[in-house]
Amino acid sequence: MNKILCIVISFITIAAQAQPGKMRFQLAPSPIVNEAEIKVDWNPVLINLEMPEPDAGADEEIKEAAKHLANQLYGHKPFTPQEKLQRSLNNPVLGKNFYGNPYNYNVPNDNDIAVSNGNMVVSVINSTVRIFDLNLDTAYQAVSLFALSSVLGLPNEHFDPKVLYDPQSDRFILACLNGYTDSTSSIVLGFSQSNDPRQGWVFYSVPGNPYNDTLWTDFPMISITQEHLYLTVNLLKNNETWQNGFVKTVVWQFNKADGYNGQILTTNLYGNFKYNGNYIRNMCPVRNGSELFNGTAYFLSNRNFAVSSDTIFLIKIPDSMNADTAAIEVSLLHSNHRYHIPPGALQTPPRKLETNDARILGAFMQNNLIQFVSNTRDTVNNKAAFYHGIINMQNVIPDIQAFTIRNDTVEYGYPNIAYAGIGIGDNTAIIGINYTAANIFPACGAIMSDGLGNYSDLVTIRKGDNYISVLSGAEQRWGDYSGAQRKYNENGVVWLALTYGGLSKKQNTWIAELSPQPFTSAHYVEAVAHINQLYPVPASSSITCNFTLSNEDYIIVDILDVNGRSILQLYREKAYPGLNTFQCNTSSLSDGTYMLLIRNQKGQILGSKQFIEKK
């Protein structure tokens, strides 16, 4: 790793307001950073118990007033025809699934995921990166965003991470935010220099206050085309509410090749996205389905805080660094089915999980259809649900068919969607979703759609172990988004990063692979369960081990002394197939040599690993 620990990377304004609503910047690259060489990661965390809510903490009075009105309006309404869903599809098949990033004392979780054709997985949460090598069945230790991008010289105020994989260039792109005021706000942007995310990364510091006024950047979303990276963010005033604090949503456009080559990064900033004189907010980039598209970049938005609305905004930007802003199109579309501001989702009473608003959280385009998802309200049972829309782009004026996905037992939150079809004429999508209920701990699952209004049942990916309780009060943060990505070189395979309630009442991340079809035996070979990794070596006050199970089982974890005697039984619970991570505190052990033993209830030894405790 480059030994320069702290360098301030500045940006150069090439043309201030070169065109109306457009500015151009050039950004200097950092030295190359190798994730695998980060051995020391202090990652100091001040436990504030609350990261900024999306858009600076939307005006609670406005939000709560809208939700209160919605509660009054939608108590016991009959189904509309669009709500009579056809549960006619087979359920998606669950493949590899495993524990993701350890809880990092930040709220909310904010999961995202990227998976390469070479079977490398990059998982991000607030505010760590964790890399998995599926070929080696290895989970590497999580690294903080602070340590990974320390060459930029920014303080440890990283939040809202996003990550994606570029199948055309076989590289990864990572983005996160830093700083919560106009004087401290930056966007951290990283490009992997190869297809191995553990090796070289080049980082750029993008100005979070690009107009040099009193605004700062919040809530990023990213997508790519064949040539460019697009990043949407919201610009907010300092210390103001949603009504007065939100100014505009802007779009950054970057030349991908510059980043992959570690060169000066050329970028445009577009800022005048309005309809009827009002700025559009929370623009969601439309990602590709099976292949990257070019010519036009697409974005969606809606009326996030409307009690009820059928409005969808479609924004088109020419996919060129030299595009004229006059060619940008903002269209108002109307859905055949309305969405609504969502209520909080009930977990163990009186606790609720925050669902924020109805903004669009994920979208992709395939076969001239744009499919998208957002939080919404089940107006029959007055519960949290999600909204699935399909925009037909073949028509001169695109039309929208949409559905409220509801469940009589559980409440939904923070869906994301990815293409799971095999090409022309196949519009299958897999939707990852968090769910909860008064008598069901926060869990996560998936639903499959054919893009024609037919759906599978909810498939549970990971059950919750406990309710979530991090903040004071009854309302807890769930996570402002989830991750979903198609595995580009495997037809139908989608990877998800979702949230469930852990035993410690914290938000935990679960990563899963799903497909419309059963996985072939060649794809999955059931190996003997074993411990893949145990660290640190030597141990000092705590240990972490990664182990693999071929089948779901109740496991027992013991610590043995040098003579093979059990000192302590640490764990006796169900474990799930695939890669698992186990952590425990060893500070009560004296210096010496010990054995970590994992066995099932029948006494069969599933794995063991020796470790040395040294204070």
Side-chain angles (χ1 to χ4, degrees):
M1 178 179 175
N2 196 298
K3 299 302 181 183
I4 300 175
L5 296 181
C6 182
I7 297 178
V8 177
I9 305 298
S10 61
F11 65 90
I12 307 166
T13 303
I14 296 301
Q17 206 65 26
Q19 297 182 36
K22 180 178 179 180
M23 296 176 66
R24 175 159 291 186
F25 297 82
Q26 286 192 332
L27 309 173
S30 75
I32 290 178
V33 177
N34 291 317
E35 189 271 353
E37 295 182 8
I38 298 175
K39 304 301 182 185
V40 178
D41 183 3
W42 294 103
N43 189 25
V45 177
L46 174 65
I47 305 178
N48 172 277
L49 295 185
E50 184 65 71
M51 294 300 289
E53 288 191 18
D55 309 308
D59 187 332
E60 290 299 322
E61 293 184 3
I62 293 176
K63 182 172 67 173
E64 292 309 315
K67 291 192 175 187
H68 177 71
L69 179 57
N71 284 331
Q72 292 180 318
L73 291 174
Y74 305 109
H76 302 283
K77 300 290 184 181
F79 281 125
T80 66
Q82 292 84 359
E83 288 176 317
K84 292 180 179 178
L85 300 177
Q86 299 295 319
R87 302 288 184 179
S88 57
L89 298 186
N90 293 330
N91 292 339
V93 179
L94 180 62
K96 284 190 175 182
N97 61 106
F98 45 85
Y99 179 74
N101 303 39
Y103 176 71
N104 194 45
Y105 300 99
N106 284 313
V107 181
N109 232 25
D110 295 349
N111 296 302
D112 204 7
I113 191 171
V115 185
S116 74
N117 290 344
N119 298 321
M120 300 295 289
V121 177
V122 179
S123 169
V124 294
I125 67 168
N126 263 335
S127 285
T128 66
V129 179
R130 193 173 193 189
I131 296 170
F132 303 83
D133 188 331
L134 301 177
N135 296 320
L136 300 177
D137 246 356
T138 299
Y140 297 100
Q141 191 164 3
V143 173
S144 69
L145 293 169
F146 171 64
L148 185 61
S149 63
S150 63
V151 292
L152 296 180
L154 298 173
N156 192 18
E157 296 179 348
H158 300 76
F159 64 103
D160 281 3
K162 291 282 188 175
V163 66
L164 58 74
Y165 170 70
D166 182 343
Q168 176 181 275
S169 301
D170 196 19
R171 307 286 182 90
F172 292 89
I173 299 174
L174 184 150
C176 70
L177 304 183
N178 187 274
Y180 319 120
T181 66
D182 65 291
S183 61
T184 63
S185 181
S186 296
I187 303 168
V188 175
L189 190 60
F191 294 83
S192 72
Q193 303 300 284
S194 73
N195 59 8
D196 185 352
R198 300 207 72 216
Q199 300 305 316
W201 285 83
V202 167
F203 288 94
Y204 299 83
S205 180
V206 183
N209 181 10
Y211 298 105
N212 292 319
D213 45 26
T214 58
L215 306 182
W216 64 283
T217 285
D218 192 36
F219 200 76
M221 303 186 81
I222 57 177
S223 67
I224 52 174
T225 61
Q226 290 184 12
E227 294 185 7
H228 302 115
L229 163 69
Y230 290 89
L231 184 149
T232 67
V233 295
N234 296 325
L235 296 183
L236 315 167
K237 296 179 183 178
N238 292 326
N239 302 317
E240 292 197 28
T241 63
W242 166 263
Q243 187 176 30
N244 296 320
F246 174 84
V247 176
K248 62 167 74 174
T249 295
V250 299
V251 176
W252 289 92
Q253 178 191 41
F254 304 93
N255 184 348
K256 293 189 309 183
D258 291 345
Y260 295 143
N261 294 326
Q263 300 172 339
I264 296 292
L265 185 63
T266 303
T267 176
N268 290 325
L269 175 67
Y270 300 94
N272 285 339
F273 300 99
K274 293 182 177 180
Y275 193 86
N276 285 342
N278 296 317
Y279 282 112
I280 296 170
R281 52 192 169 216
N282 296 317
M283 288 167 50
C284 174
V286 177
R287 293 193 175 186
N288 53 290
S290 59
E291 296 180 351
L292 300 184
F293 42 81
N294 65 359
T296 304
Y298 299 89
F299 305 82
L300 297 178
S301 185
N302 61 8
R303 301 190 188 280
N304 313 154
F305 281 86
V307 172
S308 177
S309 179
D310 63 2
T311 296
I312 303 293
F313 295 104
L314 173 66
I315 302 98
K316 301 179 183 178
I317 299 178
D319 187 36
S320 168
M321 295 299 290
N322 299 314
D324 188 335
T325 55
I328 294 176
E329 299 179 24
V330 178
S331 303
L332 175 66
L333 307 180
H334 293 284
S335 173
N336 70 325
H337 182 61
R338 302 177 77 86
Y339 55 86
H340 310 82
I341 189 169
L346 187 65
Q347 50 173 344
T348 305
R351 302 169 187 87
K352 287 191 173 184
L353 290 167
E354 174 61 70
T355 53
N356 287 328
D357 53 42
R359 73 187 64 186
I360 295 171
L361 295 167
F364 74 85
M365 185 165 72
Q366 178 78 22
N367 299 326
N368 291 313
L369 298 181
I370 294 177
Q371 299 193 48
F372 65 94
V373 288
S374 66
N375 290 330
T376 191
R377 179 182 298 257
D378 164 16
T379 59
V380 177
N381 296 324
N382 210 25
K383 292 182 177 181
F386 75 90
Y387 188 83
H388 178 209
I390 302 105
I391 305 175
N392 188 341
M393 299 291 289
Q394 297 182 87
N395 297 334
V396 176
I397 300 177
D399 62 272
I400 306 176
Q401 184 182 31
F403 303 88
T404 294
I405 313 302
R406 57 181 295 278
N407 189 296
D408 289 332
T409 302
V410 301
E411 300 190 63
Y412 293 128
Y414 300 99
N416 206 343
I417 187 169
Y419 180 58
I422 61 173
I424 297 174
D426 186 348
N427 298 308
T428 302
I430 289 178
I431 301 166
I433 190 72
N434 301 323
Y435 68 87
T436 184
N439 59 348
I440 297 175
F441 293 137
C444 56
I447 293 173
M448 193 161 65
S449 167
D450 63 0
L452 300 173
N454 302 303
Y455 296 86
S456 72
D457 292 325
L458 170 67
V459 171
T460 295
I461 294 173
R462 178 61 161 89
K463 295 179 180 179
D465 298 323
N466 211 332
Y467 60 85
I468 293 173
S469 181
V470 178
L471 307 175
S472 60
E475 191 164 70
Q476 303 292 317
R477 295 294 297 278
W478 209 339
D480 291 336
Y481 46 83
S482 300
Q485 187 214 291
R486 176 184 178 86
K487 183 71 157 49
Y488 293 107
N489 62 341
E490 295 182 33
N491 278 338
V493 175
V494 168
W495 283 81
L496 304 173
L498 300 163
T499 295
Y500 72 98
L503 285 171
S504 60
K505 303 178 184 177
K506 307 297 191 298
Q507 309 99 315
N508 283 355
T509 297
W510 198 257
I511 295 171
E513 176 190 39
L514 294 102
S515 172
Q517 303 296 329
F519 293 99
T520 64
S521 57
H523 188 77
Y524 287 105
V525 178
E526 290 192 353
V528 176
H530 65 282
I531 295 177
N532 305 314
Q533 189 181 29
L534 188 148
Y535 55 87
V537 179
S540 177
S541 300
S542 68
I543 56 171
T544 299
C545 78
N546 302 312
F547 65 93
T548 304
L549 285 179
S550 59
N551 297 295
E552 180 179 303
D553 204 347
Y554 279 87
I555 66 167
I556 301 168
V557 181
D558 293 280
I559 287 183
L560 311 181
D561 64 17
V562 71
N563 296 313
R565 292 188 295 262
S566 177
I567 297 174
L568 181 65
Q569 187 174 109
L570 297 169
Y571 187 80
R572 190 186 182 98
E573 287 290 345
K574 181 187 292 185
Y576 293 86
L579 190 61
N580 293 266
T581 294
F582 177 80
Q583 297 173 309
C584 68
N585 188 324
T586 60
S587 58
S588 61
L589 296 177
S590 57
D591 288 1
T593 301
Y594 300 90
M595 180 74 73
L596 185 77
L597 180 72
I598 302 176
R599 54 193 172 93
N600 62 19
Q601 292 190 111
K602 297 178 181 179
Q604 296 170 325
I605 297 176
L606 303 179
S608 62
K609 199 81 166 181
Q610 189 179 80
F611 69 96
I612 298 173
E613 179 73 16
K614 186 175 182 180
K615 300 295 190 290

